[in-house]
Structure formats: structure tokens, C-alpha cells
Amino acid sequence: MMKTCPLVAGPLRHDLSATFESRMGEAGITAAALEALAPAATGSLEGLRAKKQSGALPLLSLPWRRDDLEEGAALAAELRGWTRHVLVLGIGGSSLGGATICRLAEKGTVFSPDTPKLHFLDNIDPATFTSIFKRIALEKTAVLAISKSGGTAETLCQTLICHDAFVAAGLDPARHFITVTEPGPRPLRQFAEITGCRCLEHDPDIGGRYSGLTLNGLLPAMIVGLDAEAIRRGAAAVTDAALAPADPLESAPALGAMVNIGLGRERGISQTVLMPYSDRLDRMGDWFTQLWAESLGKHGNGTTPIGALGAVDQHSSLQLFLDGPRDKLVTLVQSAVAGSGGTVGANATALMGDGLSYLSGRTMGDLMDAEQRATAETLIANKRPTRIINTDAIDEESVGALMMHFFLETMVAADLIGVDAFDQPAVEDGKVLARRYLAEMAG
């Protein structure tokens, strides 16, 4: 039997009713399709529970850890004491988790002007590095270089170029650089040993794209004053709620995975859209895209993830979502914004004409609330499968909850289609070829 009322997991409320045939007709997934997926989903949840209990998958117990946060808090306090800038080097999962979380600070609460400015340098465009070296004072800058393997070519290149820039400025890398990598003999760890800079441990059993809730993401968050414990609390609440039920229809991540995979098989849904209504979540689409694509896109499987942002993309991509091919599942993330923000004064019509009476006396949050609700209703009216995730506030707890939800949903989806959620074999081919091209240049 389909779940029609919202599933509650910590600060999140999941409403998937507009993905079901009972509400959406031929656009929705049938009860028979869900029933066919239920045994595999049940087995997936059982496997996750067993791995959590045995410690075989540290990600599942991570939300309850605090010892690493103590280390991170001390380091963050030290950096806040003397830095004006922190360059976060890394690519993919080593960068996206932290960048996503830190938007809470950049687009939300205003912190002290003494808070360091974070620069997530997740690409190898030479112009970016040339520009930033000209714009910041290196003596007031720290570098956080993150690579799980310790051998990621892009991150090593970034680190070495930054190292040379600091040395040229007469600065000691031991003071300015911090590395994060796995234990063992690795180039990034060797760099730390030779330069004398600090090296933090990256858990070898937590993959890069699943590492946003480790110090990879939480150290940058603590540097800008975010509450790392609240992020972990949100993740813990979602993990508990997801793994407790025996019935996968009662587990939001399991049901989300079943709907994604079932709609693909039964209705030809080949794309999944994540569209939050908040600037503080404007990097979550990028983060989700990597997580979903790299975890599931194997052996002809997977659906294409698309990041969007409300209300911005109501003026661009929403036209396609509403009136283009019927090949998309849209997930909207909404929050309680009504009544917040500045209020449009009674002089609105005098300034801009009689047609603006609907705005007079309304807050900016009222407009955002009306638009997020209107988008959901319009998608549903046009028979576009739509999932709605509601939260009272976009804050540390809800962001931790969202990230853990999608970690779990992705892992269950991988089990449903029979792929390994944690490898990326096709990507490795390109890395080998790139190294060969570099070797040929040297010749």
C-alpha cells in the first residue's frame, strides 16, 4: 500500500504523493511497480542496518561522532585568529560538500567581519589562480588541501602551485598549509611530511563524494562559524528515521529510491531534478549532481541529475520541466519563509502603478512562499511527477539532514539497480589518459 501522508525524518517532511498513480494517473508510479521493488529495498535497508551495527560503513555512525569535531573546532579557532582568507583546494566530493554547507554562512546569517573568507578552488583554470594570488594577502591566508587518495592530479597541481607562490612570498608552508588525506604513503601526505605542515586523517572507508559530513566539509563550516554539531544532529535524525522501519515505504530514502528507479522503469523517467527554494541551498544541486551521477551511472544504469534553484529557474528551466518531455522527476525543497524579510510599503502602487496592489504590505518571504507553492501545484496539475521536501528552516540541522537523506537514497538506489554506489570505474580511464598526455609533453 502506498504511503500518502508525509514521512517525517528529523527536520524534514517528505511528500511523495504526487509521484503515485493514485494521484497522477498514468504519469505516476503504480502500486505494482513499488511492490516489485519492495524486496530489494527491504534487503538494502537490512544491509545498511547491519553495516551500521558492525561499523563496516563508517558513514552511518559518523553523525554521532564528536571527537573529530573537537579537533576541528580547535583548528578552526586558531585559523580565525590570524587568517583573512582560506583557500580550499580539492575537486568533486572533496570540495562540493564544504561549499554546499558554507553557503549557509555566505547567504544567510551575517557573521563578524573578522570571519575569514573561504575560496573553494575546485578547478584547475590557471586564470583563477593567477587572479586570486593578485587579490589576497598571502601572509593572512591558509590553504586547506583535500584529497582522499592523496594522489588526485588536480589537487596536487593546485597544492604545488600554491606552495611555490607562498615560498616566493617568503612564507613558511608549515604555518600556512593543512592537508587532508588517507593514511599510508601518498603524495599529499609526503608533501605534509616534507614541508612540516599538518595532515588530518581522511577515513579510507568514506568515499570523497560521501565525505561532506566529515571534516572535509565541517572544518570549513566551523571556520566561518557554523554549528557542526547541529549539522551532525540533522544527519543523525535522518539516519535513525530511515533505518528504523522494516517496511521500505516507511523510510523516506528507501521510498525515494524506489520512486526514482520505478518511474524510470515504468514511465521512462530518465532525469531527476533537485530544485530548492533558497539561496542558502544554491550549491546543493551541484553537490547532488556529483553524488547521484557518479554513484549510479554505471553499466547503462542511472538517471541524469539536474540542479535548479527557485525562484530563479522559474524564469528558465521550469518551462522545460512543465512543458517539455515527460521524462523528469522534480524534487522541490521548500521552507517556511512566509512573513520573513522586508515588507513592500503602501507606496508600491504610487511608485510602480495600480497593478502592484498584490505586493503591497507583503514581505519578500511571502512572495517566495507563494511562488514555491505555485510551482508545486503547477507541476502536479501538468502531471509531472513531483516530490516535495518541507523544512521549517534552512539551517545547519536541515542541511545535515538533506545531505544524509540523499546519501542514503543514493545507496538504496544503487542496490535496486545492482551497482556499487562507491566506485567510479569509467572516470579512472580519463585520469590514466590525462597522465599519459602529460608524460608525452615532458618527452
Side-chain angles (χ1 to χ4, degrees), residues 16-354:
L16 290 94
S17 61
T19 67
F20 300 152
E21 182 189 45
S22 57
R23 183 172 179 186
M24 302 296 284
E26 293 184 357
I29 188 171
T30 63
L34 283 176
E35 185 176 348
L37 288 166
T42 299
S44 180
L45 288 178
E46 290 173 350
L48 291 173
R49 280 192 289 269
K51 289 174 183 177
K52 180 176 183 292
Q53 185 173 3
S54 68
L57 191 57
L59 175 62
L60 299 178
S61 55
L62 180 65
W64 288 270
R65 277 192 67 184
R66 292 295 180 268
D67 59 303
D68 58 334
L69 297 188
E70 293 174 4
E71 178 185 20
L75 183 51
E78 177 187 329
L79 293 175
R80 285 199 303 271
W82 67 270
T83 62
R84 298 294 296 141
H85 300 273
V86 178
L87 309 183
V88 184
L89 310 182
I91 196 164
S94 295
S95 175
L96 284 170
T100 298
I101 293 168
C102 289
R103 297 302 273 173
L104 287 171
E106 295 168 23
K107 293 286 189 176
T109 304
V110 177
F111 292 101
S112 164
D114 296 330
T115 299
K117 169 68 176 175
L118 298 179
H119 306 268
F120 287 91
L121 303 177
D122 55 359
N123 208 346
I124 47 172
D125 187 333
T128 300
F129 282 78
T130 300
S131 172
I132 201 160
F133 291 151
K134 291 178 178 178
R135 291 187 288 110
I136 65 174
L138 294 185
E139 67 272 13
K140 292 288 187 180
T141 300
V143 178
L144 177 60
I146 305 170
S147 169
K148 177 181 184 293
S149 69
T152 306
E154 296 91 342
T155 307
L156 297 180
C157 178
Q158 293 173 331
T159 303
L160 291 169
I161 286 174
C162 285
H163 168 271
D164 291 351
F166 277 77
V167 170
L171 300 170
D172 183 3
R175 169 174 167 79
H176 290 266
F177 281 69
I178 301 164
T179 63
V180 184
T181 190
E182 290 180 324
R186 304 178 184 280
L188 194 57
R189 186 171 290 275
Q190 180 177 331
F191 170 86
E193 292 170 354
I194 291 174
T195 61
C197 73
R198 278 170 288 197
C199 187
L200 307 181
E201 298 293 324
H202 190 306
D203 191 321
D205 294 319
I206 298 180
R209 61 184 175 272
Y210 291 91
S211 67
L213 299 176
T214 71
L215 284 183
N216 285 14
L218 298 189
L219 178 55
M222 287 187 279
I223 290 171
V224 293
L226 294 172
D227 186 345
E229 290 195 14
I231 295 169
R232 290 260 178 97
R233 281 199 304 274
V238 164
T239 305
D240 278 340
L243 300 185
D247 183 352
L249 298 183
E250 299 292 330
S251 169
L255 181 56
M258 294 165 71
V259 166
N260 267 285
I261 303 307
L263 283 172
R265 293 176 177 175
E266 189 174 36
R267 305 300 189 192
I269 297 298
S270 60
Q271 302 181 54
T272 184
V273 178
L274 180 62
M275 187 172 177
Y277 272 77
S278 173
D279 285 348
R280 285 158 288 164
L281 299 178
D282 65 0
R283 292 301 306 273
M284 185 153 278
D286 297 331
W287 171 83
F288 171 72
T289 293
Q290 190 221 3
L291 174 68
W292 192 260
E294 202 168 39
S295 298
L296 303 181
K298 297 158 191 174
H299 316 304
N301 294 290
T303 57
T304 301
I306 300 173
L309 181 68
V312 174
D313 283 310
Q314 290 180 198
H315 299 268
S316 56
S317 304
L318 187 61
Q319 171 63 36
L320 176 69
F321 303 161
L322 285 168
D323 204 28
R326 294 182 178 275
D327 57 359
K328 298 171 186 66
L329 166 66
V330 180
T331 296
L332 303 175
V333 181
Q334 304 179 347
S335 61
V337 293
S340 63
T343 301
V344 176
N347 61 348
T349 55
L351 289 170
M352 296 187 177
D354 293 338

Side-chain angles (χ1 to χ4, degrees), residues 385-439:
T386 302
R387 166 174 55 175
I388 302 171
I389 302 176
N390 275 297
T391 184
D392 290 336
I394 304 297
D395 57 14
E396 289 98 329
E397 190 172 348
S398 61
V399 167
L402 284 166
M403 292 179 77
M404 182 54 78
H405 169 85
F406 286 115
F407 285 150
L408 293 167
E409 183 170 304
T410 301
M411 288 187 279
V412 176
D415 286 340
L416 295 183
I417 60 178
V419 301
D420 184 342
F422 304 105
D423 67 356
Q424 52 280 336
V427 175
E428 301 304 321
D429 295 340
K431 293 179 181 179
V432 171
L433 191 58
R435 286 194 289 269
R436 194 186 87 189
Y437 288 157
L438 284 169

